[in-house]
Amino acid sequence: MKKTVLAAVLVSAVAAFGAATGCRSSSTDNAVEVADGEVQTALESTPWLDKAPESPTDNFSAYVFQKGEGAFVTGNQYRGTWDMFRYRLNETNLEFRFLADGKTAKSKIKLEHFDNGPFGYRLTIKDAPRGPKVYYGFDNHHSKDVPVALKQVVDNLAKRTH
């Protein structure tokens, strides 16, 4: 149950982050694909948000990937749901097995370096089994743009799920 608590903490932190920054994740043409050998490291290094929420009641979707296990989170600062899954990454193919219902899904992914405010990555899940197809994540280069409170929560999430 530790991971479900962490997912709830992530929901609150991300909603607070959006309220504090008010940033949007609009599309630009400055994306560069991540090298194949770096995809798994990048995928597991950050929560993946469909947008930065603009208020505590602004809904969002997020994926968190950590060493073969993950969570899909939807909601806002006050209400949310999560769906735990196991995953396997093979080059740019991602396989999901959702634990609550045993359903499986496969999708090609595209992971790009993406410079947009606090976001340093863009993840496209071509046949997304849950939520939208495009998500944004943080990289070390952009960590100075991420509020300290969110960075601490993300760092704690990474430590506790390893």
Side-chain angles (χ1 to χ4, degrees):
M1 286 298 132
K2 176 170 55 173
K3 290 183 182 185
T4 57
V5 171
L6 291 172
V9 169
L10 176 65
V11 169
S12 297
V14 172
F17 163 65
T21 64
C23 71
R24 301 279 315 153
S25 51
S26 62
S27 181
T28 64
D29 294 330
N30 65 351
V32 176
E33 203 154 328
V34 171
D36 286 345
E38 299 173 14
V39 170
Q40 183 158 356
T41 300
L43 186 71
E44 295 177 347
S45 70
T46 180
W48 295 94
L49 313 171
D50 70 329
K51 65 179 182 174
E54 294 183 353
S55 75
T57 58
D58 194 9
N59 289 320
F60 64 91
S61 297
Y63 275 99
V64 178
F65 299 92
Q66 292 293 321
K67 292 189 175 187
E69 296 182 343
F72 175 73
V73 181
T74 59
N76 60 43
Q77 185 172 354
Y78 305 119
R79 179 182 303 157
T81 61
W82 58 90
D83 199 354
M84 303 299 291
F85 59 86
R86 295 219 166 93
Y87 69 93
R88 188 171 71 187
L89 179 65
N90 184 6
E91 296 177 15
T92 59
N93 295 302
L94 190 58
E95 298 177 17
F96 297 86
R97 184 173 61 81
F98 291 90
L99 302 180
D101 58 15
K103 290 185 178 179
T104 61
K106 294 180 183 180
S107 181
K108 288 217 174 275
I109 64 168
K110 183 177 183 181
L111 196 111
E112 302 165 291
H113 291 284
F114 181 73
D115 190 6
N116 187 4
F119 297 115
Y121 290 117
R122 177 171 57 202
L123 171 66
T124 303
I125 305 173
K126 295 187 189 235
D127 297 311
R130 306 281 191 275
K133 293 181 180 196
V134 179
Y135 295 84
Y136 303 91
F138 309 101
D139 68 7
N140 290 334
H141 172 73
H142 290 78
S143 63
K144 66 183 183 311
D145 298 330
V146 179
V148 173
L150 177 61
K151 184 169 180 3
Q152 290 172 343
V153 169
V154 171
D155 289 346
N156 274 341
L157 177 67
K159 287 177 190 172
R160 292 182 184 184
T161 57
H162 283 272

